[in-house]
Amino acid sequence: MAAAALTREGGEDAFRRLFRFYRQRDAGDLRGVVDFSVPGGQVFKSQLSICSVSDQDASRAGLQPVSQWKAYGLKGYPGFIFIPNPFLPGCQRHWVKQCLKLYPQKPNVCNLDLHMAPEKTIDLWGQSKEQLRRKGSSKREPRSLLEKLRWVTLGYHYNWDTKKYSANHHTPFPSDLAFLSEQVAAACGFRGFQAQAGILNYYHFDSSLGIHVDESELDHSRPLLSFSFGQSSIFLLGGLKREEAPTAMFMHSGDIMVMSGFSRLLYHAVPRVLPNPEGTALPSCLDQALSSDLPAGSVIEHSSEEDWQVCAKYLQSSRINMTIRQVLAEGQKFPEEYGTNRKGQAPFEDHHHQENSRTKRHKPSTD
């Protein structure tokens, strides 16, 4: 297989070679991509901390009981955990709606803030929903503001220029997303995890995410959590150096990845977004309706049919990823030099890009 041959080559920037291979639009050889729905080979079952999360708390977060989750690891990647869609029916819709309707709102920061007046980005949803709902299949149609959204930052806002977080650029972290993250982290053996920063990435079929390491958090002992919704993608997980060839794997709607321990600081990238393998406009897991009887204290909210129609239209050609991080250890504070932050906003309009010369300008992000 072509991908396997590239992997065996090793040597100078083996990661980039495989990134380019999977980035190609006509790359038909995907047999070397790990599919966690068919475990085997380097995939093994991973143990979860079932007693750390009550069934009630899992349900409140929109998750199945942890005892029903499947979790896998990869040989050669200690600390990496892959959990295929553990969400209850209909609950993925809540997180999609939050990522499109609520989380892009001020005071959170998004890529559109870099070149648009503040009053123009106050209500991206309101300005886009009718255009999205009417949208056809023509590529010549103008894109709505939501379709121009590339990233949103939450909590401690990442400064793409200095590659640091700052004590003086912080907004309240969404309580529902914090609760979800805490339950997933606890199930993976990280009780007491604090969701302090989030980067939401918005992908389309022509999007990719360059090779990078997420190392700007001050506490690397806590995991990085990644949640995916919508269309599928190929995720590349490499080593501590770019000369090490990465492992390619599929990520589908509802899948969760946890990078901890040794795997916390490995190079990774998303070279390609793919149509969901079922061949339908949306994965079937997104067609499921939410139960009308939500548990007491649930962070999940019912979406109106009108709102979901907008979300569904968006997801027909898109993928959303949420990565959640704990920036500071318990009781830790930012060093004094972290206290200066101009605006905490990215100098780049779009960090989804093809693997080219810009990728060398390392931009930590999510996924």
Side-chain angles (χ1 to χ4, degrees):
M1 293 187 299
L6 285 171
T7 299
R8 286 193 297 269
E9 282 185 30
E12 181 64 26
D13 212 340
F15 200 129
R16 182 185 295 182
R17 282 202 301 275
L18 271 178
F19 183 101
R20 287 179 172 172
F21 173 83
Y22 286 115
R23 175 65 187 163
Q24 293 170 359
R25 307 312 293 166
D26 58 350
D29 186 358
L30 301 181
R31 288 173 291 170
V33 182
V34 173
D35 188 344
F36 287 94
S37 65
V38 190
Q42 67 185 112
V43 176
F44 61 90
K45 286 189 176 180
S46 184
Q47 296 298 313
L48 295 171
S49 182
I50 295 175
C51 61
S52 295
V53 180
S54 69
D55 290 356
Q56 182 181 13
D57 280 346
S59 180
R60 289 173 59 207
L63 299 164
Q64 301 173 22
V66 178
S67 59
Q68 297 180 19
W69 298 7
K70 295 178 181 178
Y72 302 101
L74 277 176
K75 293 177 183 176
Y77 297 97
F80 176 78
I81 304 171
F82 192 101
I83 305 169
N85 185 16
F87 289 93
L88 290 167
C91 290
Q92 288 189 51
R93 292 186 176 192
H94 169 84
W95 303 109
V96 172
K97 184 190 73 173
Q98 298 295 79
C99 287
L100 291 175
K101 186 175 183 179
L102 182 66
Y103 298 157
Q105 294 180 11
K106 299 291 173 284
N108 299 329
V109 182
C110 73
N111 63 291
L112 298 178
D113 297 323
L114 306 186
H115 53 87
M116 295 181 68
E119 61 271 16
K120 298 286 188 181
T121 61
I122 289 176
D123 185 15
L124 302 182
W125 175 270
Q127 296 179 71
S128 304
K129 60 182 182 179
E130 288 305 322
Q131 187 177 348
L132 264 174
R133 191 180 289 116
R134 296 192 307 267
K135 190 174 180 65
S137 57
S138 172
K139 293 184 179 180
R140 294 184 178 181
E141 292 183 57
R143 291 186 302 165
S144 64
L145 287 179
L146 272 181
E147 291 171 294
K148 295 179 180 179
L149 195 60
R150 291 295 177 264
W151 54 261
V152 169
T153 54
L154 310 171
Y156 286 113
H157 296 281
Y158 183 74
N159 185 314
W160 306 84
D161 195 3
T162 65
K163 300 181 175 63
K164 293 180 179 180
Y165 296 96
S166 166
N168 61 10
H169 195 209
H170 174 268
T171 57
F173 195 92
S175 59
D176 58 347
L177 185 51
F179 186 75
L180 169 70
S181 304
E182 289 160 8
Q183 308 318 307
V184 171
C188 294
F190 295 94
R191 298 184 75 167
F193 175 84
Q194 299 176 46
Q196 297 175 335
I199 300 180
L200 315 180
N201 277 340
Y202 302 81
Y203 298 81
H204 305 297
F205 282 134
D206 59 350
S207 301
S208 61
L209 179 67
I211 305 165
H212 67 282
V213 178
D214 292 291
E215 59 188 357
S216 298
E217 295 73 30
L218 275 66
D219 180 16
H220 295 152
S221 69
R222 310 305 274 172
L224 184 147
L225 311 179
S226 170
F227 303 86
S228 293
F229 305 106
Q231 301 299 324
S232 301
S233 71
I234 294 175
F235 179 76
L236 298 179
L237 181 61
L240 295 171
K241 298 179 180 180
R242 287 174 56 139
E243 288 74 20
E244 299 178 49
T247 295
M249 62 197 80
F250 289 115
M251 287 169 43
H252 303 303
S253 191
D255 290 349
I256 299 174
M257 291 193 314
V258 178
M259 296 173 67
S260 68
F262 171 79
S263 294
R264 176 64 178 77
L265 296 175
L266 298 182
Y267 278 99
H268 53 281
V270 178
R272 191 172 173 195
V273 177
L274 302 165
N276 91 83
E278 297 169 297
T280 51
L282 289 181
S284 57
C285 59
L286 290 171
D287 289 333
Q288 299 169 315
L290 184 64
S291 169
S292 58
D293 186 22
L294 295 173
S298 174
V299 302
I300 303 297
E301 300 172 344
H302 284 95
S303 298
S304 69
E305 187 57 35
E306 179 185 7
D307 281 356
W308 178 245
Q309 286 176 4
V310 176
C311 293
K313 201 61 175 280
Y314 177 89
L315 288 183
Q316 286 180 11
S317 60
S318 305
R319 167 181 178 260
I320 298 172
N321 178 265
M322 314 186 298
T323 58
I324 314 303
R325 311 106 187 283
Q326 179 169 334
V327 177
L328 301 167
E330 184 87 28
Q332 187 179 21
K333 296 182 179 179
F334 287 100
E336 190 171 337
E337 64 268 22
Y338 274 69
T340 57
N341 185 329
R342 286 179 291 173
K343 288 187 178 180
Q345 297 179 349
F348 306 105
E349 175 183 344
D350 185 356
H351 73 291
H352 296 267
H353 52 81
Q354 295 189 18
E355 169 64 0
N356 55 27
S357 59
R358 286 199 301 159
T359 308
K360 297 177 183 177
R361 301 180 65 179
H362 168 59
K363 296 184 283 296
S365 178
T366 157
D367 258 83

